């Protein structure tokens, strides 16, 4: 499977969000990653469903919504109605994870499941059939621009093995500290979807330069 690049709008210039999204599309990005933070599960506060709906108006790229919020089940319908194509929930926030993933699917959205750096991925053994995407966090969620945590590599390999054992075609996504220097090792471990905020939106040659630097690092 090809490598999919998903710029995270956490690092976009929000005064020009429409233009930034169009630049991502022109640069050949594969999806847009939207980081939803609630100031409770993570220290930071960011976007709600209205931002997802606004993104939907200006791009035809799939919207990949990463919910870093407590009680995500209360908000799934609102994000689905806003136009999310993927809804990814944290294992740590869902006491009834099986039901939460089922609800996402019933809403017509692709379910994603993510694990923090300190959370083991073994629960995926029981959930592999229910997900379209598994996100291995390679930073502690909350902020852009943090350093890649190398233990993510082993977890990506383990995730890939569990999915293969279950005959699942779910994609393995990695998020946090992805740069031209770190992306290759995550690909070799089995990741095929790469979220990048800083490396795309803060690249010295602009968004197109950022996306192509990541692609070149994979070639
Ligand atoms: C972190 C977010 C990431 C963030 C990545 O909590 O989930 O999506 O935007 O930013 P960079 O690529 O700068 O590490
Ligand atoms: Zn994210």
């Amino acid at each position: 499977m090809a490598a999919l690049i998903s710029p995270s709008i956490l690092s976009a210039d929000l005064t020009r969000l429409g233009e930034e999204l169009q630049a991502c599309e022109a640069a050949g990005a594969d999806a847009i990653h939207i980081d939803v933070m609630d100031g409770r599960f993570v220290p930071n506060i960011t976007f709600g469903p209205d931002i997802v709906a606004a993104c939907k108006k200006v791009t035809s790229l799939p919207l990949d919504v990463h919910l870093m919020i407590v009680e995500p089940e209360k908000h799934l319908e609102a994000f689905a109605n806003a136009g999310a194509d993927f809804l990814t929930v944290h294992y740590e926030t869902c006491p009834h994870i099986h039901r939460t993933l089922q609800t996402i699917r019933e809403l017509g959205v692709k379910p994603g499941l993510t694990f923090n750096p300190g959370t083991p991925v073994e629960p995926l053994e029981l959930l592999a059939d229910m997900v379209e995407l598994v996100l291995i966090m390679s930073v502690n969620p909350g902020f852009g621009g943090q350093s890649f945590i190398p233990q993510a590599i082993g977890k990506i390999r383990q995730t890939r093995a569990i999915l293969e054992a279950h005959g699942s075609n779910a994609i393995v996504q990695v998020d946090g500290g992805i740069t031209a220097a770190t992306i290759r090792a995550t690909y070799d471990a089995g990741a095929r979807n790469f979220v990048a905020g800083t490396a795309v939106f803060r690249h010295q040659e602009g968004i197109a330069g950022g996306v192509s630097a990541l692609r070149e690092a994979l070639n």
Side-chain angles (χ1 to χ4, degrees):
M1 184 195 285
L4 306 178
I5 309 272
S6 304
S8 160
I9 62 163
L10 189 60
S11 300
D13 177 353
L14 296 177
T15 65
R16 302 169 43 255
L17 183 57
E19 291 156 58
E20 298 270 87
L21 292 181
Q22 278 154 12
C24 288
E25 204 163 331
D30 298 285
I32 298 297
H33 185 85
I34 303 175
D35 285 308
V36 176
M37 306 187 187
D38 65 353
R40 293 187 63 199
F41 177 59
V42 293
N44 201 359
I45 300 179
T46 56
F47 314 124
D50 288 351
I51 293 285
V52 175
C55 291
K56 199 76 185 173
K57 284 186 187 160
V58 290
T59 181
S60 56
L61 291 177
L63 301 181
D64 157 29
V65 179
H66 176 190
L67 295 176
M68 288 161 273
I69 62 178
V70 299
E71 300 181 312
E73 59 282 354
K74 288 186 177 171
H75 304 280
L76 297 173
E77 196 172 347
F79 282 103
N81 290 341
D85 294 281
F86 287 85
L87 275 173
T88 298
V89 291
H90 270 264
Y91 181 73
E92 301 83 5
T93 62
C94 296
H96 306 289
I97 184 65
H98 190 278
R99 181 187 295 155
T100 303
L101 293 169
Q102 207 166 34
T103 304
I104 295 172
R105 198 178 286 280
E106 283 164 7
L107 288 166
V109 179
K110 296 188 174 101
L113 174 61
T114 181
F115 299 92
N116 271 341
T119 306
V121 296
E122 276 82 1
L124 184 60
E125 293 278 5
L126 302 172
L127 301 162
D129 302 339
M130 307 197 64
V131 295
E132 304 271 342
L133 178 153
V134 180
L135 166 54
I136 299 304
M137 290 305 301
S138 42
V139 297
N140 286 294
F143 301 96
Q146 303 183 79
S147 298
F148 182 83
I149 297 173
Q151 283 79 2
I153 299 292
K155 289 177 75 180
I156 291 168
R157 228 178 265 124
Q158 207 183 342
T159 298
R160 192 63 180 243
I162 294 172
L163 291 173
E164 270 165 27
H166 287 264
S168 163
N169 291 323
I171 194 159
V172 180
Q173 184 181 64
V174 62
D175 182 9
I178 294 298
T179 65
T182 57
I183 193 169
R184 180 79 219 187
T186 68
Y187 181 93
D188 291 343
R192 290 295 179 270
N193 181 196
F194 309 89
V195 175
T198 310
V200 169
F201 289 102
R202 308 284 166 90
H203 193 272
Q204 52 188 10
E205 287 155 37
I207 289 169
V211 171
S212 56
L214 292 174
R215 289 218 193 273
E216 274 161 32
L218 291 172
N219 285 333

